[in-house]
Amino acid sequence: MNITPNVEITSLIKPIVDGFKLINDEWNNFFEIGLSDYLYSQTEKYYFTNTFIHRSEKVRFNDIYYPVKASYKELTSDFDNIENLFTDYKNITIVGSAGSGKTTLIKHIFLQAIQIKSKIPILIELRNLNEYNGDLEKLITDKILKSKVKPSDTIFKRTLESGKFLFLLDGYDEIFSDKKQEINRQIELFVDSYSKNSFLITTRPGSGIESFPRFYDFKVCSLNDDDVIGFISKIVDEEEKKERVKQIVLDPKNSNYYEFLRNPLLLSMFIMAFENHPEIPKRKSAFYRNVFDTLYSRHDGITKNSFPREKITKLQRDDFEEVLSVFSYLTLIDGQYSFTYEYLTDVLNRVKSTSDY
């Protein structure tokens, strides 16, 4: 089936846009000067997506999404019924380790909100505040109103105070430590000022998010045995490969290090590396080595009948691995998880200054 993004995205967001425009002229104007464009661009970004396995092609999110679950006390939710969930738990934090599915879950919640049409989802990546010249409210304003025409502050605030928004704040753990106190203040002030809305914040454990008042801490659940099989069934297209992967992960002799596969990202890595390394390594270091091997030569060995693709850097494998190791160390020390072209160039120049490349 051919993907027709314009038609699909327009048909998805039209009901929520048309419904809110009917409220009054202020809402109609709000959509006309930027909110409609924001919803279209963000919905398109999440509705058609790349995954760790589907790195070179866009796929429909719902075609490859396996539910991520999170729990609070006795409640475990897959966030399918978000209208009731946010009625009972107005402000939520999602706490999960790296690769546990937090960002995937927030995409799911965004798309669910669009379909339900009761609240307008606004997704903000909190790391953008690290070097932003302004506060959270200004960032949100700039995000959703890109046109030069701005409503008056009174109208804008009245719209935000209506309680018609679901603010999704992603990546609290990516806020720089020297900025955290100030950004905490901004978040608390924004939540206080527009308290009729619902808020969700994602973070890794140990970020200090537990100190936020009025938020319920939901912990992302590890995949159980049924989830692992369900995830494989959802993500792997080829039936033969699907069955071979299941056979490996269900083999009793692999039970001691089955924990590797209870994390969606690590499970995706295993599936991607399966053709070259059809076994579950006993050590995580060996697991990551298999993934690196696959990524380094993925197109050469798998998709191009072993044709050796030219490496523009001219680096030999060992040299490339050393560069990657130093690059990873430097970016970890800097606390950077996403890279602009300028930052990437700067770090690679620093790597070059410490080596013979």
Side-chain angles (χ1 to χ4, degrees):
M1 178 178 175
N2 292 329
I3 292 178
T4 52
N6 291 337
V7 174
E8 289 192 48
I9 301 305
T10 299
S11 64
L12 185 62
I13 69 168
K14 191 175 187 300
I16 188 172
V17 172
D18 289 348
F20 276 88
K21 278 185 172 182
L22 291 174
I23 295 176
N24 55 40
D25 289 341
E26 286 183 2
W27 274 99
N28 184 69
N29 183 55
F30 199 37
F31 277 92
E32 291 297 328
I33 63 176
L35 191 52
S36 289
D37 290 341
Y38 168 80
L39 287 179
Y40 184 94
S41 64
Q42 290 297 109
T43 302
E44 182 182 31
K45 180 179 178 181
Y46 303 135
Y47 187 84
F48 296 106
T49 188
N50 297 101
T51 70
F52 195 86
I53 293 177
H54 307 90
R55 297 166 67 82
S56 59
E57 59 176 335
K58 293 284 187 183
V59 292
R60 289 180 179 84
F61 179 85
N62 288 334
D63 288 346
I64 51 84
Y65 176 68
Y66 185 83
V68 176
K69 302 182 184 71
S71 62
Y72 172 74
K73 294 185 176 180
E74 302 302 317
L75 171 68
T76 298
S77 175
D78 60 6
F79 292 82
D80 260 359
N81 191 345
I82 61 171
E83 190 166 16
N84 286 346
L85 186 66
F86 281 103
T87 298
D88 295 335
Y89 304 91
K90 192 174 182 182
N91 301 324
I92 291 174
T93 55
I94 301 293
V95 183
S97 59
S100 62
K102 299 185 299 298
T103 298
T104 301
L105 177 56
I106 214 168
K107 291 178 182 178
H108 168 71
I109 293 171
F110 184 97
L111 293 173
Q112 282 288 99
I114 292 292
Q115 293 174 325
I116 292 172
K117 302 183 288 295
S118 61
K119 286 187 182 291
I120 300 167
I122 304 294
L123 197 155
I124 299 294
E125 294 174 328
L126 289 173
R127 65 171 176 262
N128 291 333
L129 284 169
N130 286 325
E131 298 177 355
Y132 181 70
N133 185 23
D135 60 12
L136 175 60
E137 184 168 333
K138 184 175 186 301
L139 177 63
I140 290 172
T141 305
D142 291 346
K143 183 84 171 177
I144 63 181
L145 299 177
K146 294 181 179 178
S147 65
K148 294 181 180 179
V149 180
K150 304 290 185 185
S152 71
D153 286 344
T154 302
I155 292 176
F156 184 67
K157 288 181 181 296
R158 189 159 57 232
T159 306
L160 291 182
E161 289 169 353
S162 67
K164 300 294 187 181
F165 292 92
L166 169 59
F167 290 101
L168 306 170
L169 309 180
D170 192 23
Y172 177 81
D173 55 286
E174 295 179 13
I175 299 172
F176 293 165
S177 57
D178 62 337
K179 303 273 188 166
K180 185 157 289 187
Q181 184 175 356
E182 169 58 22
I183 293 175
N184 280 353
R185 186 192 65 78
Q186 293 177 22
I187 294 173
E188 291 190 28
L189 178 61
F190 191 81
V191 173
D192 286 341
S193 300
Y194 306 110
S195 58
K196 290 183 180 180
N197 300 291
S198 292
F199 295 84
L200 182 144
I201 304 174
T202 70
T203 186
R204 293 185 187 182
S207 66
I209 195 72
E210 295 83 0
S211 63
F212 267 54
R214 301 189 307 279
F215 277 78
Y216 297 91
D217 294 333
F218 279 69
K219 305 294 193 299
V220 178
C221 303
S222 298
L223 300 177
N224 60 34
D225 291 0
D226 291 337
D227 290 330
V228 170
I229 299 306
F231 186 96
I232 294 168
S233 298
K234 189 76 172 183
I235 211 76
V236 181
D237 294 329
E238 303 168 25
E239 288 299 325
E240 182 181 349
K241 180 179 178 181
K242 185 183 299 185
E243 294 308 311
R244 285 189 289 125
V245 172
K246 288 181 183 180
Q247 184 178 7
I248 291 292
V249 301
L250 292 175
D251 191 330
K253 72 181 182 182
N254 292 328
S255 60
N256 289 339
Y257 36 95
Y258 191 50
E259 289 302 315
F260 284 9
L261 307 183
R262 298 190 185 280
N263 176 291
L265 179 59
L266 295 183
L267 180 54
S268 295
M269 288 179 174
F270 173 71
I271 292 170
M272 183 195 66
F274 180 79
E275 296 296 341
N276 288 345
H277 304 280
E279 75 283 326
I280 307 174
K282 295 182 180 179
R283 292 177 292 112
K284 278 193 175 181
S285 58
F287 177 88
Y288 288 123
R289 167 65 58 187
N290 289 350
V291 173
F292 175 81
D293 288 344
T294 302
L295 287 173
Y296 186 83
S297 58
R298 179 173 175 80
H299 292 291
D300 301 350
I302 299 175
T303 62
K304 296 296 181 181
N305 298 318
S306 299
F307 175 77
R309 187 186 300 270
E310 178 189 10
K311 302 296 190 294
I312 297 176
T313 64
K314 308 300 182 184
L315 292 174
Q316 296 299 313
R317 180 194 175 88
D318 290 346
D319 295 333
F320 184 87
E321 186 174 347
E322 184 177 343
V323 168
L324 180 61
S325 297
V326 177
F327 176 87
S328 299
Y329 174 77
L330 292 175
T331 55
L332 177 64
I333 294 300
D334 287 348
Q336 293 284 354
Y337 301 94
S338 63
F339 315 124
T340 63
Y341 178 81
E342 291 77 12
Y343 177 77
L344 186 65
T345 302
D346 175 66
V347 175
L348 289 175
N349 284 333
R350 288 156 61 191
V351 173
K352 187 176 180 181
S353 69
T354 64
S355 65
D356 299 326
Y357 310 121

